Amino acid sequence: ILGTWVAAGLWVTGMALRLTCADAFSRRGRGTPAPTDAPRHLVTDGLKGVIRNPLIAGEVMVVLGEALYVGSLGLFVCAALFTMFTHWVVVRVEEPELRERFGKTYDAYCREVPRWLPHFGLPQTSEKSQSP
């Protein structure tokens, strides 16, 4: 029964991340998560101030929650493949495009905020944390 609760927690948390990010892209970014209507403003606050890709992290959590709930090795493999593929897309496609659109602002954001795993309360080595 513990596995069911963990699965439900992953799924609910993942869905909350996805919905919160979609709302932020719409309200603050003036766009959507879809590449055809990408946000026109760089969103760096809220969840995006903790990790750069909370939407994708949420999607991975949803699939992992489903895999755990049904006990499917196939879904675990899908989650692993999805994670590797989206990492590749983020690094090779999304980040270069964002760097081109938002320039130094995006570079500074990348120095401050980790790509996938939050670092709550850990010391930073960025320019922001080194200033007096």
Side-chain angles (χ1 to χ4, degrees), residues 13-94:
T13 303
M15 288 302 288
L17 287 173
R18 293 174 67 197
L19 293 172
T20 302
C21 290
D23 180 65
F25 283 147
S26 173
R27 291 177 191 261
R28 294 190 303 277
R30 299 292 182 225
T32 69
T36 56
D37 185 27
R40 291 174 274 297
H41 304 286
L42 183 62
V43 178
T44 61
D45 61 347
L47 289 173
K48 300 276 291 173
V50 179
I51 61 173
R52 292 199 310 259
N53 297 288
L55 181 81
I56 296 169
E59 291 171 353
V60 170
M61 291 174 79
V62 166
V63 177
L64 285 174
E66 292 170 349
L68 185 59
Y69 181 75
V70 299
S72 169
L73 179 60
L75 274 178
F76 279 113
V77 170
C78 284
L81 292 173
F82 174 75
T83 302
M84 290 186 288
F85 176 73
T86 54
H87 176 77
W88 183 86
V89 169
V90 164
V91 171
R92 300 289 185 183
V93 178
E94 183 178 283

